Coordinates of all heavy atoms in Angstrom, one line a residue:
H409 N -23.2 13.1 17.0 CA -24.0 12.3 16.1 C -24.2 10.9 16.6 O -25.2 10.2 16.1 CB -23.3 12.3 14.7 CG -22.0 11.7 14.7 ND1 -20.9 12.4 15.2 CD2 -21.5 10.6 14.1 CE1 -19.8 11.6 15.0 NE2 -20.2 10.5 14.4
Y410 N -23.4 10.4 17.5 CA -23.7 9.1 18.1 C -25.1 9.1 18.8 O -25.8 8.2 18.7 CB -22.6 8.7 19.1 CG -21.2 8.4 18.6 CD1 -21.0 8.5 17.2 CD2 -20.2 7.9 19.4 CE1 -19.7 8.2 16.7 CE2 -19.0 7.6 18.9 CZ -18.7 7.7 17.6 OH -17.5 7.4 17.1
Y411 N -25.3 10.2 19.6 CA -26.6 10.3 20.3 C -27.8 10.4 19.3 O -28.8 9.9 19.5 CB -26.6 11.5 21.2 CG -25.5 11.3 22.3 CD1 -24.3 11.9 22.2 CD2 -25.8 10.7 23.5 CE1 -23.3 11.7 23.1 CE2 -24.8 10.5 24.5 CZ -23.6 11.1 24.3 OH -22.6 11.0 25.3
N412 N -27.5 11.1 18.2 CA -28.6 11.3 17.2 C -28.9 10.0 16.6 O -30.1 9.6 16.4 CB -28.2 12.3 16.2 CG -29.3 12.9 15.4 OD1 -29.9 12.4 14.5 ND2 -29.8 14.1 15.9
N413 N -27.9 9.2 16.3 CA -28.2 7.9 15.7 C -28.7 6.9 16.7 O -29.5 6.0 16.4 CB -27.0 7.3 15.0 CG -26.7 8.0 13.6 OD1 -27.7 8.4 12.9 ND2 -25.5 8.2 13.3
L414 N -28.4 7.1 18.0 CA -29.0 6.3 19.0 C -30.4 6.6 19.1 O -31.3 5.6 19.3 CB -28.3 6.5 20.4 CG -28.8 5.8 21.6 CD1 -28.7 4.3 21.4 CD2 -28.1 6.3 22.9
A415 N -30.8 7.8 19.0 CA -32.2 8.2 19.0 C -33.0 7.6 17.9 O -34.1 7.1 18.0 CB -32.3 9.7 19.0
A416 N -32.3 7.6 16.7 CA -32.9 6.9 15.5 C -33.2 5.5 15.7 O -34.2 4.9 15.4 CB -32.1 7.2 14.3
A417 N -32.2 4.8 16.4 CA -32.4 3.4 16.7 C -33.5 3.1 17.7 O -34.4 2.2 17.5 CB -31.1 2.8 17.2
Y418 N -33.6 3.9 18.7 CA -34.6 3.8 19.7 C -36.0 4.1 19.0 O -37.0 3.3 19.2 CB -34.5 4.8 20.8 CG -33.6 4.3 22.0 CD1 -32.5 5.1 22.4 CD2 -33.8 3.1 22.6 CE1 -31.7 4.7 23.5 CE2 -33.0 2.7 23.7 CZ -32.0 3.5 24.1 OH -31.2 3.1 25.1
S419 N -36.0 5.1 18.2 CA -37.3 5.5 17.5 C -37.8 4.4 16.6 O -39.0 4.1 16.5 CB -37.1 6.8 16.8 OG -38.3 7.2 16.1
G420 N -36.8 3.8 15.9 CA -37.2 2.7 15.0 C -37.8 1.5 15.7 O -38.7 0.8 15.2
G421 N -37.4 1.3 17.0 CA -38.0 0.3 17.8 C -39.1 0.8 18.7 O -39.5 0.1 19.6
N422 N -39.6 2.0 18.4 CA -40.8 2.5 19.1 C -40.5 2.9 20.5 O -41.5 3.0 21.3 CB -42.0 1.6 18.9 CG -42.5 1.5 17.5 OD1 -42.6 2.5 16.8 ND2 -42.8 0.2 17.1
A423 N -39.3 3.0 20.9 CA -38.9 3.5 22.2 C -38.7 5.0 22.2 O -37.6 5.5 22.3 CB -37.7 2.8 22.7
V424 N -39.9 5.7 22.1 CA -39.8 7.1 21.9 C -39.2 7.9 23.1 O -38.4 8.8 22.9 CB -41.2 7.7 21.6 CG1 -41.2 9.2 21.4 CG2 -41.8 7.0 20.3
K425 N -39.6 7.5 24.3 CA -39.0 8.2 25.5 C -37.5 8.1 25.5 O -36.8 9.0 25.8 CB -39.6 7.7 26.8 CG -41.1 8.1 26.9 CD -41.6 7.6 28.3 CE -43.1 8.1 28.5 NZ -43.6 7.6 29.8
S426 N -37.0 6.9 25.2 CA -35.5 6.7 25.2 C -34.9 7.5 24.1 O -33.8 8.0 24.2 CB -35.2 5.2 25.0 OG -35.7 4.5 26.1
A427 N -35.6 7.6 22.9 CA -35.1 8.4 21.8 C -35.0 9.9 22.2 O -34.0 10.5 21.9 CB -36.0 8.2 20.6
M428 N -36.0 10.3 22.9 CA -36.0 11.7 23.4 C -34.8 12.0 24.4 O -34.2 13.0 24.3 CB -37.3 12.1 24.0 CG -37.5 13.6 24.2 SD -37.7 14.4 22.6 CE -39.3 13.8 22.1
T429 N -34.6 11.0 25.3 CA -33.5 11.1 26.2 C -32.2 11.2 25.5 O -31.3 12.0 25.9 CB -33.5 9.9 27.2 OG1 -34.7 9.9 27.9 CG2 -32.3 10.0 28.1
A430 N -32.0 10.4 24.4 CA -30.7 10.5 23.7 C -30.6 11.8 23.0 O -29.4 12.4 23.0 CB -30.8 9.4 22.6
L431 N -31.6 12.4 22.5 CA -31.5 13.8 21.9 C -31.2 14.8 22.9 O -30.5 15.8 22.7 CB -32.8 14.1 21.1 CG -33.0 13.3 19.8 CD1 -34.3 13.8 19.2 CD2 -31.9 13.4 18.9
D432 N -31.8 14.7 24.1 CA -31.5 15.6 25.2 C -30.0 15.5 25.6 O -29.4 16.6 26.0 CB -32.4 15.4 26.4 CG -33.9 15.7 26.1 OD1 -34.1 16.5 25.2 OD2 -34.7 15.2 26.9
Q433 N -29.5 14.3 25.6 CA -28.0 14.2 25.8 C -27.2 14.8 24.7 O -26.2 15.5 25.0 CB -27.7 12.7 26.0 CG -28.3 12.1 27.2 CD -28.1 10.5 27.2 OE1 -28.1 9.9 26.2 NE2 -27.9 10.0 28.4
E434 N -27.7 14.7 23.5 CA -27.0 15.4 22.4 C -27.0 16.9 22.5 O -26.1 17.6 22.2 CB -27.6 14.9 21.1 CG -27.0 15.6 19.8 CD -27.7 15.2 18.5 OE1 -28.8 14.6 18.6 OE2 -27.2 15.6 17.5
K435 N -28.1 17.4 23.1 CA -28.3 18.8 23.2 C -27.3 19.4 24.2 O -26.8 20.5 24.0 CB -29.7 19.1 23.7 CG -30.1 20.6 23.9 CD -31.5 20.8 24.3 CE -31.8 22.2 24.5 NZ -33.2 22.4 25.0
V436 N -26.9 18.6 25.2 CA -25.9 19.1 26.1 C -24.6 19.3 25.4 O -23.9 20.3 25.6 CB -25.7 18.0 27.3 CG1 -24.5 18.4 28.2 CG2 -27.0 17.9 28.1
L437 N -24.2 18.4 24.5 CA -23.0 18.6 23.7 C -23.2 19.7 22.7 O -22.2 20.4 22.4 CB -22.7 17.3 22.9 CG -22.1 16.1 23.8 CD1 -21.9 14.9 22.9 CD2 -20.8 16.5 24.4
A438 N -24.3 19.9 22.1 CA -24.6 21.0 21.2 C -24.3 22.3 21.9 O -23.7 23.2 21.3 CB -26.0 20.9 20.6
E439 N -24.8 22.4 23.1 CA -24.5 23.7 23.8 C -23.0 23.9 24.0 O -22.6 25.1 23.9 CB -25.2 23.6 25.2 CG -26.7 23.6 25.2 CD -27.3 24.9 24.9 OE1 -26.6 25.9 24.8 OE2 -28.6 25.0 24.9
K440 N -22.3 22.9 24.3 CA -20.8 23.0 24.5 C -20.1 23.4 23.2 O -19.2 24.2 23.1 CB -20.2 21.7 25.1 CG -20.7 21.5 26.5 CD -20.1 20.1 27.0 CE -20.6 19.8 28.4 NZ -20.0 18.5 28.9
L441 N -20.5 22.7 22.1 CA -19.8 22.8 20.9 C -20.2 24.0 20.1 O -19.4 24.7 19.4 CB -20.0 21.6 20.0 CG -19.4 20.3 20.6 CD1 -19.9 19.1 19.7 CD2 -17.9 20.3 20.7
N442 N -21.5 24.3 20.2 CA -22.1 25.5 19.5 C -21.7 25.5 18.0 O -21.2 26.5 17.5 CB -21.8 26.8 20.1 CG -22.8 27.9 19.8 OD1 -23.9 27.6 19.6 ND2 -22.3 29.1 19.8
N443 N -22.0 24.4 17.4 CA -21.6 24.2 16.0 C -22.9 24.1 15.1 O -23.8 23.4 15.5 CB -20.8 22.9 15.8 CG -20.5 22.5 14.4 OD1 -21.3 21.9 13.7 ND2 -19.3 22.9 13.9
G444 N -22.9 24.8 14.0 CA -24.1 24.8 13.2 C -24.6 23.5 12.7 O -25.8 23.1 12.8
K445 N -23.7 22.6 12.3 CA -24.0 21.3 11.8 C -24.7 20.5 12.9 O -25.6 19.7 12.7 CB -22.8 20.6 11.2 CG -23.1 19.2 10.7 CD -21.9 18.6 10.1 CE -22.2 17.2 9.5 NZ -20.9 16.5 8.9

Side-chain angles (χ1 to χ4, degrees):
H409 62 288
Y410 289 5
Y411 297 92
N412 203 276
N413 283 326
L414 177 61
Y418 275 128
S419 178
N422 295 315
V424 177
K425 289 185 178 179
S426 295
M428 195 67 70
T429 297
L431 290 183
D432 290 342
Q433 292 172 324
E434 181 185 4
K435 185 178 179 181
V436 173
L437 285 177
E439 293 282 1
K440 293 179 180 178
L441 297 172
N442 204 28
N443 175 277
K445 182 178 179 180

